[in-house]
Amino acid sequence: MPESKRAKAVAGTNIALVKYWGKRDTALNLPATGSLSLTLAGLGSETSVRFAHDAGGSDGRDRVLFGGEPAWPLFANRVRRFLDLVRALAKIDLPAEVATVNTVPTAAGLASSASGFAALALAASRAAGLRLSPAELSALARRGSGSAARSIVGGFAEMAAGTRKDGSDAYAHSIADENAWDVRLCVAMTAAGEKTVGSTAAMALTERTSPYYAAWLSTVPGDVAEAKAAILARDLARLGSVAERSATRMHAAALAAEPSILYWNPATLAAIATLKELRAGGTSAYFTIDAGPHVKALCVSADAAKVAAALAATPGVVRVLTVAPGPGAQIMSED
Ligand code: 2P0
């Protein structure tokens, strides 16, 4: 490999329509079930990686920048652990400089770890001289964050739980690309600030303490199959019904943990009510909710302006973003 190589990659975040909530292996970050998501356009991460003798900081460790500034230690160390995986795969022993910029608005409640680790997996593997297949790249991104495996793929992606112990079959593949169906997600932000409990810790607590965890797991394979069939048939009502029940069942399992995990706020409920009113009036829009209080509504593009306006007029909703399906992770430049 040449003395110094740099690669820059971009990835969009994704929103799960059938949720991932629980692991079968924490060391390899293997999900307990499959999941199914939509990768988003324009909201994500741009990450450049350079491996070189002089790329590290004064302490010789990887230099990690976020938004042009040195990253906070927790974030920097998570990136360094991920780079160790890439160095082991590529059989190199060089420090790296990593610079990430997020195009996800701050506190938007959109998972930046999904786009962040997808962009990092692609940029770091290429900068290390590796040429991974999409499946290998998705499995690598999964080591950073489970949801990141899905952001390697554009449009609708299915993440497999896999059965192998080494996780080599736990990766995402495409169900329908970003141009296959003209849908939109209207993201209604209902509160500013960070989420109360991070996904990783909340998942672990749900696994350990929720009496509903096993019941939750038992519902997921059927929901993945149903969502896939709905996407292939371009049937929004069918997909929306699965998305809503997957989200409510995930939150029910978390709510039953000890101590209870409650992500919703009054505006979350008000936004759900708005979508039900829209449906009663003949406009199809369906909610999903992640590890936070924000509500994401799935609709066809022709209805997006109406759905976004109704959400914006809902008490407690502070901002609405309308987002289209987007491509999978891509290389922006290499030198
Ligand atoms: C998902 N969420 O499927 C689920 C549904 C939120 C709710 O954020 O521990 O951040 O890094 O693998 O990928 C998935 O959690 O967790 C997630 P780790 P991750 O999108």
Side-chain angles (χ1 to χ4, degrees):
M1 134 179 214
E3 166 54 17
S4 173
K5 193 159 183 290
R6 197 190 67 93
K8 187 173 184 185
V10 60
T13 190
N14 71 78
I15 298 297
L17 299 172
V18 178
K19 302 298 189 193
Y20 147 53
W21 199 254
K23 304 187 193 226
R24 68 178 168 95
D25 182 305
T26 47
L28 293 174
N29 208 26
L30 297 172
T33 65
S35 57
L36 190 146
S37 62
L38 181 60
T39 297
L40 302 181
L43 298 179
S45 307
E46 292 178 10
T47 300
S48 79
V49 178
R50 183 174 71 96
F51 286 102
H53 289 293
D54 66 352
S58 51
D59 55 1
R61 299 169 79 200
D62 302 312
R63 193 197 312 267
V64 183
L65 302 173
F66 183 85
E69 302 288 327
W72 57 102
L74 221 66
F75 177 88
N77 288 332
R78 198 168 165 193
V79 168
R80 290 184 183 116
R81 281 198 300 277
F82 188 83
L83 292 171
D84 288 341
L85 298 172
V86 176
R87 276 186 283 260
L89 266 179
K91 300 185 172 57
I92 60 170
D93 191 22
L94 293 170
E97 181 176 68
V98 177
T100 293
V101 175
N102 272 354
T103 53
V104 180
T106 319
L110 292 164
S112 56
S113 68
S115 55
F117 280 103
L120 180 62
L122 179 54
S125 59
R126 289 285 270 265
L130 294 166
R131 287 265 166 180
L132 301 179
S133 69
E136 289 168 330
L137 197 58
S138 174
L140 175 65
R142 186 204 74 232
R143 298 290 299 273
S145 203
S147 50
R150 302 184 307 234
S151 277
I152 297 298
V153 178
F156 293 95
E158 179 186 356
M159 174 73 193
T163 53
R164 291 185 204 144
K165 258 189 126 83
D166 67 359
S168 56
D169 57 350
Y171 57 84
H173 72 273
S174 170
I175 301 295
D177 74 21
E178 64 272 26
N179 302 311
W181 192 5
D182 204 12
V183 293
R184 293 291 181 271
L185 263 192
C186 298
V187 181
M189 298 173 210
T190 64
E194 291 292 305
K195 55 192 170 191
T196 42
V197 195
S199 308
T200 308
M203 260 185 233
L205 186 67
T206 305
E207 287 167 24
R208 264 200 335 273
T209 67
S210 176
Y212 303 161
Y213 179 63
W216 151 253
L217 292 184
S218 73
T219 65
V220 181
D223 282 354
V224 171
E226 177 73 8
K228 239 160 67 175
I231 290 163
L232 295 177
R234 311 288 191 268
D235 185 337
L236 187 77
R238 194 172 167 194
L239 179 60
S241 303
V242 183
E244 291 196 350
R245 75 176 185 236
S246 179
T248 50
R249 286 169 180 174
M250 178 203 108
H251 284 272
L255 197 55
E258 176 78 54
S260 181
I261 302 158
L262 172 59
Y263 285 115
W264 301 8
N265 65 24
T268 312
L269 295 170
I272 291 174
T274 293
L275 297 175
K276 291 193 172 173
E277 275 164 34
L278 278 170
R279 291 216 292 270
T283 304
S284 285
Y286 299 86
F287 68 82
T288 187
I289 305 164
D290 291 296
H294 313 297
V295 175
K296 293 116 185 179
L298 180 72
C299 61
V300 292
S301 65
D303 289 335
K306 188 174 181 185
V307 172
L311 287 169
T314 301
V317 170
V318 292
R319 189 177 168 193
V320 181
L321 281 177
T322 300
V323 199
Q330 288 170 4
I331 286 288
M332 296 171 81
S333 62
E334 259 182 301
D335 48 56

